[in-house]
């Protein structure tokens, strides 16, 4: 057979495969989600996310130290407050759970990179991501509390804020308030294309943030839409976002690709709780090889064009990346 083209030449052995790899990954691009519970002392396993934990304020540095042991230098913080009310006032309290967690982390590990999730749903007694008027979230009123919350995180020492609420204009509102208080150099990572997804189920169980009525379709995006993601990203770029995010990751690889190709900002993908929980469940049932599925899923997100990844597997992936063993 006179074949000139034989693509298999470059797949023949491990050495040539490694040489020709198009996607190079690094632990530097991994962000680990940490859940801090104000009412907890010590550490408690999260039932809906096997292998993940709630940390008390007295033990949050254990989570940080575990990250650092694996070479993960970035976290995104989520808070479970002791009290909730209609407007989510514990979200911006100076001694709120996230604000205290930031100070605790920064006192011990000033170089550890702390990003905070900015949203109201963990703090409101109705579980929606903003202030309600009747049964609807009032966009413009919510902007004020989001901006206050972001400012309180930054004043407590957060390195970056990540609004996940999907209100219109939140990036501009947060940028304006941060700048007015002298925080002109603090970046905003915008959950720009965040879909109304069933894949957030295990997170909502973990964070106690499921809406008491209705759903989030009035503010999060319709999974049928592609162009709308480009619109959301473009608006966030105009409003001053520094990093864009697509969420979830696995079922939205097309959106990641388009946003990566279209925008010049760094792009983050969030491999969400349902993606993680499904792999865990399938592995526990003996149906898949957890390690290889974890690696392949992460590689696909980077191949698609994401520059960084928020994942519950960050520590395990960092180990795999360091070993150069992503399958
Ligand atoms: C808060 C928020 C959510 C997630 C991140 N920030 C839940 C939601 O929007 O309902 C989901 C993360 C995950 O599922 O891992 N709004």
């Amino acid at each position: 057979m006179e074949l000139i083209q034989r693509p298999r030449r470059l797949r023949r052995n491990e050495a040539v495969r490694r040489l020709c790899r198009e996607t190079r990954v690094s632990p530097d691009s991994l962000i680990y989600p940490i859940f801090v519970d104000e009412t907890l002392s010590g550490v408690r396993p999260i039932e809906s996310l096997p292998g993940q934990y709630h940390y008390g304020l007295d033990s949050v540095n254990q989570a940080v130290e575990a990250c650092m042991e694996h070479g993960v230098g970035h976290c995104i913080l989520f808070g479970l407050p002791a009290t909730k009310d209609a407007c989510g006032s514990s979200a911006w309290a100076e001694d709120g759970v996230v604000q205290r967690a930031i100070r605790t982390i920064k006192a011990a590990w000033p170089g550890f990179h702390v990003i905070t999730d900015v949203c109201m749903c963990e703090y409101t007694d109705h579980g929606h991501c903003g202030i309600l008027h009747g049964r609807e979230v009032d966009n413009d009123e919510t902007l004020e509390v989001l901006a206050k919350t972001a400012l309180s995180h930054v004043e407590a020492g957060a390195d970056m804020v990540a609004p996940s609420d999907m209100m219109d204009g939140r990036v501009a509102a947060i940028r304006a308030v941060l700048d007015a208080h002298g925080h002109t150099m603090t970046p905003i990572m915008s959950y720009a294309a965040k879909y109304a997804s069933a894949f957030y189920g295990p997170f909502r169980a973990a964070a106690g943030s499921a809406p008491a009525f209705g759903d989030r379709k009035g503010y999060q995006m319709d999974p049928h839409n592609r162009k709308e993601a480009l619109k959301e990203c473009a608006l966030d770029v105009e409003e001053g976002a520094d990093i864009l995010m697509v969420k979830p990751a696995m079922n939205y690889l097309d959106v990641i690709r388009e946003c990566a190709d279209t925008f010049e900002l760094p792009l983050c993908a969030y491999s969400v709780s349902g993606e993680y929980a499904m792999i865990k469940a399938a592995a526990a049932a003996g149906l898949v090889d957890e390690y290889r599925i974890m690696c392949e899923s992460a590689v696909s997100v980077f191949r698609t064009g994401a520059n960084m990844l928020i994942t519950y597997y960050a520590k395990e992936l960092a180990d795999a990346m360091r070993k150069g063993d992503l399958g």
Side-chain angles (χ1 to χ4, degrees):
M1 186 74 178
E2 277 190 42
L3 270 181
I4 292 172
Q5 297 294 344
R6 290 188 185 270
R8 286 185 54 194
R9 287 182 198 122
L10 299 185
R11 301 203 287 266
R12 196 167 174 215
N13 57 41
E14 181 70 7
V16 77
R17 285 196 294 272
R18 278 176 184 262
L19 182 68
C20 297
R21 212 153 254 175
E22 295 174 47
T23 306
R24 307 271 180 195
V25 292
S26 151
D28 291 339
S29 55
L30 298 172
I31 302 167
Y32 183 66
I34 297 178
F35 294 88
V36 189
D37 183 340
E38 193 170 13
T39 66
L40 179 66
S41 164
V43 174
R44 182 182 58 214
I46 298 176
E47 235 172 87
S48 60
L49 293 168
Q52 304 298 314
Y53 298 86
H54 285 121
Y55 293 88
L57 283 158
D58 57 356
S59 58
V60 65
N61 279 334
Q62 285 178 33
V64 171
E65 284 149 22
C67 281
M68 292 190 306
E69 274 162 32
H70 291 267
V72 174
H74 317 273
C75 76
I76 182 159
L77 278 184
F78 295 97
L80 284 78
T83 58
K84 305 189 188 216
D85 60 25
C87 62
S89 58
S90 52
W92 64 84
E94 206 200 321
D95 61 347
V97 56
V98 167
Q99 292 79 355
R100 287 169 67 196
I102 298 165
R103 285 194 209 98
T104 305
I105 295 170
K106 286 293 183 181
W109 304 106
F112 190 73
H113 200 216
V114 176
I115 306 167
T116 59
D117 183 89
V118 176
C119 196
M120 306 313 292
C121 59
E122 290 112 303
Y123 304 89
T124 52
D125 51 16
H126 47 74
H128 278 284
C129 299
I131 309 282
L132 290 183
H133 265 175
R135 288 168 72 87
E136 247 195 87
V137 175
D138 184 293
N139 191 86
D140 298 13
E141 224 178 284
T142 301
L143 297 184
E144 279 172 45
V145 293
L146 290 168
K148 269 202 273 194
T149 301
L151 177 63
S152 73
H153 291 175
V154 174
E155 303 226 300
D159 295 293
M160 190 185 296
V161 289
S164 68
D165 51 282
M166 289 303 281
M167 297 303 126
D168 295 333
R170 79 273 172 73
V171 173
I174 291 171
R175 186 73 272 157
V177 168
L178 293 184
D179 288 357
H181 289 80
H183 304 293
T184 52
M185 292 302 285
T186 305
I188 299 174
M189 174 196 273
S190 170
Y191 285 71
K194 174 170 175 177
Y195 285 87
S197 171
F199 284 87
Y200 309 150
F203 172 98
R204 291 182 191 168
S209 66
F213 64 87
D215 52 42
R216 303 211 200 292
K217 291 179 185 168
Y219 36 102
Q220 298 179 351
M221 285 173 48
D222 184 339
H224 299 78
N225 295 351
R226 179 181 64 80
K227 286 190 287 186
E228 193 182 7
L230 298 173
K231 178 169 97 181
E232 285 285 0
C233 286
L235 287 171
D236 285 358
V237 172
E238 268 175 42
E239 289 179 30
D242 299 279
I243 299 174
L244 299 172
M245 193 197 301
V246 174
K247 174 186 175 193
M250 187 170 61
N251 293 69
Y252 296 84
L253 294 175
D254 58 325
V255 179
I256 295 175
R257 164 53 63 205
E258 280 209 70
C259 292
D261 287 349
T262 308
F263 300 100
E264 277 143 28
L265 272 55
L267 184 66
C268 183
Y270 195 146
S271 184
V272 299
S273 56
E275 300 177 47
Y276 173 85
M278 287 198 316
I279 298 174
K280 281 283 177 191
L287 299 175
V288 298
D289 177 334
E290 180 179 10
Y291 182 83
R292 293 190 57 207
I293 296 267
M294 166 188 84
C295 292
E296 193 174 328
S297 304
V299 165
S300 68
V301 173
F302 288 111
R303 186 194 62 238
T304 310
N307 308 109
M308 57 193 93
L309 175 63
I310 304 175
T311 169
Y312 300 94
Y313 276 125
K315 290 177 281 185
E316 294 81 356
L317 278 168
D319 291 343
M321 289 174 180
R322 211 167 307 95
K323 279 191 284 175
D325 181 29
L326 284 162

PDB file of all heavy atoms in Angstrom, residues 221-247:
ATOM      1  N   MET A 221     -29.234  31.887  31.608  1.00  0.00           N
ATOM      2  CA  MET A 221     -29.514  31.767  30.168  1.00  0.00           C
ATOM      3  C   MET A 221     -30.218  30.469  29.767  1.00  0.00           C
ATOM      4  O   MET A 221     -30.056  29.430  30.395  1.00  0.00           O
ATOM      5  CB  MET A 221     -28.210  31.882  29.385  1.00  0.00           C
ATOM      6  CG  MET A 221     -27.696  33.308  29.307  1.00  0.00           C
ATOM      7  SD  MET A 221     -26.084  33.327  28.549  1.00  0.00           S
ATOM      8  CE  MET A 221     -26.402  32.299  27.139  1.00  0.00           C
ATOM      9  N   ASP A 222     -30.935  30.565  28.675  1.00  0.00           N
ATOM     10  CA  ASP A 222     -31.649  29.426  28.103  1.00  0.00           C
ATOM     11  C   ASP A 222     -30.648  28.498  27.390  1.00  0.00           C
ATOM     12  O   ASP A 222     -29.923  28.944  26.490  1.00  0.00           O
ATOM     13  CB  ASP A 222     -32.666  29.991  27.094  1.00  0.00           C
ATOM     14  CG  ASP A 222     -33.545  28.920  26.478  1.00  0.00           C
ATOM     15  OD1 ASP A 222     -33.149  27.732  26.495  1.00  0.00           O
ATOM     16  OD2 ASP A 222     -34.616  29.283  25.964  1.00  0.00           O
ATOM     17  N   PRO A 223     -30.588  27.225  27.795  1.00  0.00           N
ATOM     18  CA  PRO A 223     -29.620  26.308  27.181  1.00  0.00           C
ATOM     19  C   PRO A 223     -29.761  26.142  25.667  1.00  0.00           C
ATOM     20  O   PRO A 223     -28.856  25.620  25.020  1.00  0.00           O
ATOM     21  CB  PRO A 223     -29.898  24.970  27.888  1.00  0.00           C
ATOM     22  CG  PRO A 223     -30.485  25.356  29.189  1.00  0.00           C
ATOM     23  CD  PRO A 223     -31.298  26.600  28.912  1.00  0.00           C
ATOM     24  N   HIS A 224     -30.864  26.595  25.095  1.00  0.00           N
ATOM     25  CA  HIS A 224     -31.019  26.498  23.646  1.00  0.00           C
ATOM     26  C   HIS A 224     -30.189  27.533  22.897  1.00  0.00           C
ATOM     27  O   HIS A 224     -30.115  27.489  21.666  1.00  0.00           O
ATOM     28  CB  HIS A 224     -32.485  26.712  23.238  1.00  0.00           C
ATOM     29  CG  HIS A 224     -33.434  25.707  23.806  1.00  0.00           C
ATOM     30  ND1 HIS A 224     -33.883  25.759  25.105  1.00  0.00           N
ATOM     31  CD2 HIS A 224     -34.027  24.627  23.258  1.00  0.00           C
ATOM     32  CE1 HIS A 224     -34.701  24.755  25.323  1.00  0.00           C
ATOM     33  NE2 HIS A 224     -34.812  24.049  24.218  1.00  0.00           N
ATOM     34  N   ASN A 225     -29.648  28.519  23.612  1.00  0.00           N
ATOM     35  CA  ASN A 225     -29.105  29.695  22.934  1.00  0.00           C
ATOM     36  C   ASN A 225     -27.588  29.730  22.869  1.00  0.00           C
ATOM     37  O   ASN A 225     -26.911  29.425  23.859  1.00  0.00           O
ATOM     38  CB  ASN A 225     -29.597  30.970  23.625  1.00  0.00           C
ATOM     39  CG  ASN A 225     -31.098  31.114  23.481  1.00  0.00           C
ATOM     40  OD1 ASN A 225     -31.733  30.352  22.727  1.00  0.00           O
ATOM     41  ND2 ASN A 225     -31.672  32.044  24.199  1.00  0.00           N
ATOM     42  N   ARG A 226     -27.107  30.125  21.709  1.00  0.00           N
ATOM     43  CA  ARG A 226     -25.678  30.237  21.447  1.00  0.00           C
ATOM     44  C   ARG A 226     -25.302  31.712  21.250  1.00  0.00           C
ATOM     45  O   ARG A 226     -24.379  32.214  21.872  1.00  0.00           O
ATOM     46  CB  ARG A 226     -25.356  29.429  20.187  1.00  0.00           C
ATOM     47  CG  ARG A 226     -23.947  29.434  19.728  1.00  0.00           C
ATOM     48  CD  ARG A 226     -23.816  28.614  18.448  1.00  0.00           C
ATOM     49  NE  ARG A 226     -24.581  29.212  17.353  1.00  0.00           N
ATOM     50  CZ  ARG A 226     -24.149  30.246  16.618  1.00  0.00           C
ATOM     51  NH1 ARG A 226     -22.979  30.774  16.849  1.00  0.00           N
ATOM     52  NH2 ARG A 226     -24.886  30.737  15.645  1.00  0.00           N
ATOM     53  N   LYS A 227     -26.053  32.399  20.386  1.00  0.00           N
ATOM     54  CA  LYS A 227     -25.731  33.802  20.107  1.00  0.00           C
ATOM     55  C   LYS A 227     -25.882  34.663  21.367  1.00  0.00           C
ATOM     56  O   LYS A 227     -25.160  35.629  21.562  1.00  0.00           O
ATOM     57  CB  LYS A 227     -26.644  34.350  18.998  1.00  0.00           C
ATOM     58  CG  LYS A 227     -26.264  33.825  17.627  1.00  0.00           C
ATOM     59  CD  LYS A 227     -27.001  34.554  16.530  1.00  0.00           C
ATOM     60  CE  LYS A 227     -28.455  34.150  16.484  1.00  0.00           C
ATOM     61  NZ  LYS A 227     -29.193  34.719  15.355  1.00  0.00           N
ATOM     62  N   GLU A 228     -26.830  34.249  22.209  1.00  0.00           N
ATOM     63  CA  GLU A 228     -27.051  35.021  23.430  1.00  0.00           C
ATOM     64  C   GLU A 228     -25.800  35.008  24.318  1.00  0.00           C
ATOM     65  O   GLU A 228     -25.539  35.975  25.050  1.00  0.00           O
ATOM     66  CB  GLU A 228     -28.255  34.443  24.189  1.00  0.00           C
ATOM     67  CG  GLU A 228     -28.748  35.342  25.290  1.00  0.00           C
ATOM     68  CD  GLU A 228     -29.913  34.744  26.073  1.00  0.00           C
ATOM     69  OE1 GLU A 228     -30.257  33.560  25.849  1.00  0.00           O
ATOM     70  OE2 GLU A 228     -30.464  35.462  26.913  1.00  0.00           O
ATOM     71  N   ALA A 229     -25.044  33.912  24.244  1.00  0.00           N
ATOM     72  CA  ALA A 229     -23.806  33.845  25.040  1.00  0.00           C
ATOM     73  C   ALA A 229     -22.814  34.885  24.536  1.00  0.00           C
ATOM     74  O   ALA A 229     -22.135  35.545  25.323  1.00  0.00           O
ATOM     75  CB  ALA A 229     -23.196  32.444  24.950  1.00  0.00           C
ATOM     76  N   LEU A 230     -22.756  35.051  23.214  1.00  0.00           N
ATOM     77  CA  LEU A 230     -21.850  36.044  22.645  1.00  0.00           C
ATOM     78  C   LEU A 230     -22.284  37.453  23.052  1.00  0.00           C
ATOM     79  O   LEU A 230     -21.463  38.310  23.362  1.00  0.00           O
ATOM     80  CB  LEU A 230     -21.807  35.913  21.117  1.00  0.00           C
ATOM     81  CG  LEU A 230     -21.276  34.561  20.604  1.00  0.00           C
ATOM     82  CD1 LEU A 230     -21.428  34.462  19.092  1.00  0.00           C
ATOM     83  CD2 LEU A 230     -19.825  34.361  21.007  1.00  0.00           C
ATOM     84  N   LYS A 231     -23.597  37.655  23.070  1.00  0.00           N
ATOM     85  CA  LYS A 231     -24.115  38.960  23.494  1.00  0.00           C
ATOM     86  C   LYS A 231     -23.754  39.243  24.952  1.00  0.00           C
ATOM     87  O   LYS A 231     -23.268  40.326  25.293  1.00  0.00           O
ATOM     88  CB  LYS A 231     -25.641  38.990  23.303  1.00  0.00           C
ATOM     89  CG  LYS A 231     -26.294  40.274  23.758  1.00  0.00           C
ATOM     90  CD  LYS A 231     -27.748  40.369  23.310  1.00  0.00           C
ATOM     91  CE  LYS A 231     -28.695  39.926  24.404  1.00  0.00           C
ATOM     92  NZ  LYS A 231     -30.106  39.981  24.000  1.00  0.00           N
ATOM     93  N   GLU A 232     -23.981  38.258  25.809  1.00  0.00           N
ATOM     94  CA  GLU A 232     -23.675  38.439  27.240  1.00  0.00           C
ATOM     95  C   GLU A 232     -22.195  38.735  27.443  1.00  0.00           C
ATOM     96  O   GLU A 232     -21.824  39.597  28.246  1.00  0.00           O
ATOM     97  CB  GLU A 232     -24.071  37.186  28.047  1.00  0.00           C
ATOM     98  CG  GLU A 232     -25.570  37.043  28.270  1.00  0.00           C
ATOM     99  CD  GLU A 232     -26.098  38.013  29.326  1.00  0.00           C
ATOM    100  OE1 GLU A 232     -25.320  38.792  29.896  1.00  0.00           O
ATOM    101  OE2 GLU A 232     -27.324  37.990  29.564  1.00  0.00           O
ATOM    102  N   CYS A 233     -21.343  37.999  26.732  1.00  0.00           N
ATOM    103  CA  CYS A 233     -19.899  38.223  26.862  1.00  0.00           C
ATOM    104  C   CYS A 233     -19.525  39.616  26.365  1.00  0.00           C
ATOM    105  O   CYS A 233     -18.751  40.328  27.013  1.00  0.00           O
ATOM    106  CB  CYS A 233     -19.109  37.177  26.084  1.00  0.00           C
ATOM    107  SG  CYS A 233     -19.103  35.563  26.863  1.00  0.00           S
ATOM    108  N   ALA A 234     -20.080  40.004  25.214  1.00  0.00           N
ATOM    109  CA  ALA A 234     -19.744  41.319  24.653  1.00  0.00           C
ATOM    110  C   ALA A 234     -20.142  42.430  25.619  1.00  0.00           C
ATOM    111  O   ALA A 234     -19.399  43.402  25.820  1.00  0.00           O
ATOM    112  CB  ALA A 234     -20.442  41.504  23.303  1.00  0.00           C
ATOM    113  N   LEU A 235     -21.309  42.295  26.234  1.00  0.00           N
ATOM    114  CA  LEU A 235     -21.750  43.316  27.193  1.00  0.00           C
ATOM    115  C   LEU A 235     -20.803  43.376  28.388  1.00  0.00           C
ATOM    116  O   LEU A 235     -20.438  44.446  28.863  1.00  0.00           O
ATOM    117  CB  LEU A 235     -23.176  42.997  27.680  1.00  0.00           C
ATOM    118  CG  LEU A 235     -24.285  43.249  26.662  1.00  0.00           C
ATOM    119  CD1 LEU A 235     -25.612  42.704  27.174  1.00  0.00           C
ATOM    120  CD2 LEU A 235     -24.407  44.744  26.376  1.00  0.00           C
ATOM    121  N   ASP A 236     -20.376  42.196  28.861  1.00  0.00           N
ATOM    122  CA  ASP A 236     -19.486  42.189  30.023  1.00  0.00           C
ATOM    123  C   ASP A 236     -18.119  42.764  29.683  1.00  0.00           C
ATOM    124  O   ASP A 236     -17.493  43.410  30.516  1.00  0.00           O
ATOM    125  CB  ASP A 236     -19.376  40.772  30.596  1.00  0.00           C
ATOM    126  CG  ASP A 236     -20.643  40.386  31.354  1.00  0.00           C
ATOM    127  OD1 ASP A 236     -21.545  41.230  31.451  1.00  0.00           O
ATOM    128  OD2 ASP A 236     -20.718  39.248  31.848  1.00  0.00           O
ATOM    129  N   VAL A 237     -17.676  42.546  28.456  1.00  0.00           N
ATOM    130  CA  VAL A 237     -16.411  43.161  28.030  1.00  0.00           C
ATOM    131  C   VAL A 237     -16.559  44.685  28.077  1.00  0.00           C
ATOM    132  O   VAL A 237     -15.738  45.394  28.652  1.00  0.00           O
ATOM    133  CB  VAL A 237     -16.020  42.708  26.607  1.00  0.00           C
ATOM    134  CG1 VAL A 237     -14.818  43.494  26.094  1.00  0.00           C
ATOM    135  CG2 VAL A 237     -15.716  41.210  26.588  1.00  0.00           C
ATOM    136  N   GLU A 238     -17.667  45.175  27.504  1.00  0.00           N
ATOM    137  CA  GLU A 238     -17.914  46.633  27.506  1.00  0.00           C
ATOM    138  C   GLU A 238     -17.989  47.193  28.918  1.00  0.00           C
ATOM    139  O   GLU A 238     -17.551  48.296  29.183  1.00  0.00           O
ATOM    140  CB  GLU A 238     -19.285  46.911  26.864  1.00  0.00           C
ATOM    141  CG  GLU A 238     -19.259  47.179  25.392  1.00  0.00           C
ATOM    142  CD  GLU A 238     -20.685  47.317  24.855  1.00  0.00           C
ATOM    143  OE1 GLU A 238     -21.536  47.966  25.514  1.00  0.00           O
ATOM    144  OE2 GLU A 238     -20.948  46.734  23.786  1.00  0.00           O
ATOM    145  N   GLU A 239     -18.583  46.406  29.814  1.00  0.00           N
ATOM    146  CA  GLU A 239     -18.773  46.892  31.181  1.00  0.00           C
ATOM    147  C   GLU A 239     -17.499  46.815  32.016  1.00  0.00           C
ATOM    148  O   GLU A 239     -17.469  47.258  33.154  1.00  0.00           O
ATOM    149  CB  GLU A 239     -19.879  46.076  31.871  1.00  0.00           C
ATOM    150  CG  GLU A 239     -21.254  46.373  31.321  1.00  0.00           C
ATOM    151  CD  GLU A 239     -22.334  45.533  32.001  1.00  0.00           C
ATOM    152  OE1 GLU A 239     -22.170  45.186  33.186  1.00  0.00           O
ATOM    153  OE2 GLU A 239     -23.333  45.221  31.340  1.00  0.00           O
ATOM    154  N   GLY A 240     -16.462  46.193  31.458  1.00  0.00           N
ATOM    155  CA  GLY A 240     -15.189  46.192  32.179  1.00  0.00           C
ATOM    156  C   GLY A 240     -14.789  44.866  32.797  1.00  0.00           C
ATOM    157  O   GLY A 240     -13.922  44.840  33.680  1.00  0.00           O
ATOM    158  N   ALA A 241     -15.373  43.755  32.349  1.00  0.00           N
ATOM    159  CA  ALA A 241     -14.932  42.455  32.875  1.00  0.00           C
ATOM    160  C   ALA A 241     -13.481  42.207  32.454  1.00  0.00           C
ATOM    161  O   ALA A 241     -13.063  42.611  31.364  1.00  0.00           O
ATOM    162  CB  ALA A 241     -15.820  41.344  32.331  1.00  0.00           C
ATOM    163  N   ASP A 242     -12.743  41.549  33.324  1.00  0.00           N
ATOM    164  CA  ASP A 242     -11.343  41.224  33.021  1.00  0.00           C
ATOM    165  C   ASP A 242     -11.186  39.793  32.539  1.00  0.00           C
ATOM    166  O   ASP A 242     -10.265  39.475  31.793  1.00  0.00           O
ATOM    167  CB  ASP A 242     -10.497  41.432  34.281  1.00  0.00           C
ATOM    168  CG  ASP A 242     -10.561  42.878  34.732  1.00  0.00           C
ATOM    169  OD1 ASP A 242      -9.840  43.693  34.156  1.00  0.00           O
ATOM    170  OD2 ASP A 242     -11.365  43.193  35.641  1.00  0.00           O
ATOM    171  N   ILE A 243     -12.059  38.922  33.015  1.00  0.00           N
ATOM    172  CA  ILE A 243     -12.040  37.510  32.640  1.00  0.00           C
ATOM    173  C   ILE A 243     -13.494  37.110  32.394  1.00  0.00           C
ATOM    174  O   ILE A 243     -14.383  37.513  33.149  1.00  0.00           O
ATOM    175  CB  ILE A 243     -11.436  36.642  33.780  1.00  0.00           C
ATOM    176  CG1 ILE A 243      -9.981  37.077  34.067  1.00  0.00           C
ATOM    177  CG2 ILE A 243     -11.511  35.150  33.451  1.00  0.00           C
ATOM    178  CD1 ILE A 243      -9.351  36.379  35.268  1.00  0.00           C
ATOM    179  N   LEU A 244     -13.730  36.332  31.352  1.00  0.00           N
ATOM    180  CA  LEU A 244     -15.088  35.845  31.075  1.00  0.00           C
ATOM    181  C   LEU A 244     -15.189  34.386  31.492  1.00  0.00           C
ATOM    182  O   LEU A 244     -14.194  33.665  31.506  1.00  0.00           O
ATOM    183  CB  LEU A 244     -15.395  35.962  29.577  1.00  0.00           C
ATOM    184  CG  LEU A 244     -15.360  37.368  28.986  1.00  0.00           C
ATOM    185  CD1 LEU A 244     -15.486  37.302  27.462  1.00  0.00           C
ATOM    186  CD2 LEU A 244     -16.474  38.233  29.578  1.00  0.00           C
ATOM    187  N   MET A 245     -16.406  33.961  31.775  1.00  0.00           N
ATOM    188  CA  MET A 245     -16.606  32.560  32.142  1.00  0.00           C
ATOM    189  C   MET A 245     -17.800  31.970  31.402  1.00  0.00           C
ATOM    190  O   MET A 245     -18.793  32.672  31.153  1.00  0.00           O
ATOM    191  CB  MET A 245     -16.856  32.432  33.648  1.00  0.00           C
ATOM    192  CG  MET A 245     -16.754  30.988  34.152  1.00  0.00           C
ATOM    193  SD  MET A 245     -17.497  30.738  35.764  1.00  0.00           S
ATOM    194  CE  MET A 245     -16.582  31.852  36.781  1.00  0.00           C
ATOM    195  N   VAL A 246     -17.653  30.695  31.045  1.00  0.00           N
ATOM    196  CA  VAL A 246     -18.783  29.921  30.528  1.00  0.00           C
ATOM    197  C   VAL A 246     -19.066  28.820  31.537  1.00  0.00           C
ATOM    198  O   VAL A 246     -18.163  28.163  32.038  1.00  0.00           O
ATOM    199  CB  VAL A 246     -18.463  29.300  29.147  1.00  0.00           C
ATOM    200  CG1 VAL A 246     -19.591  28.381  28.692  1.00  0.00           C
ATOM    201  CG2 VAL A 246     -18.217  30.396  28.111  1.00  0.00           C
ATOM    202  N   LYS A 247     -20.343  28.602  31.797  1.00  0.00           N
ATOM    203  CA  LYS A 247     -20.737  27.652  32.831  1.00  0.00           C
ATOM    204  C   LYS A 247     -22.099  27.064  32.506  1.00  0.00           C
ATOM    205  O   LYS A 247     -22.990  27.854  32.177  1.00  0.00           O
ATOM    206  CB  LYS A 247     -20.779  28.411  34.162  1.00  0.00           C
ATOM    207  CG  LYS A 247     -21.307  27.627  35.327  1.00  0.00           C
ATOM    208  CD  LYS A 247     -21.434  28.525  36.524  1.00  0.00           C
ATOM    209  CE  LYS A 247     -22.078  27.735  37.651  1.00  0.00           C
ATOM    210  NZ  LYS A 247     -22.524  28.561  38.725  1.00  0.00           N
TER     211      LYS A 247
END
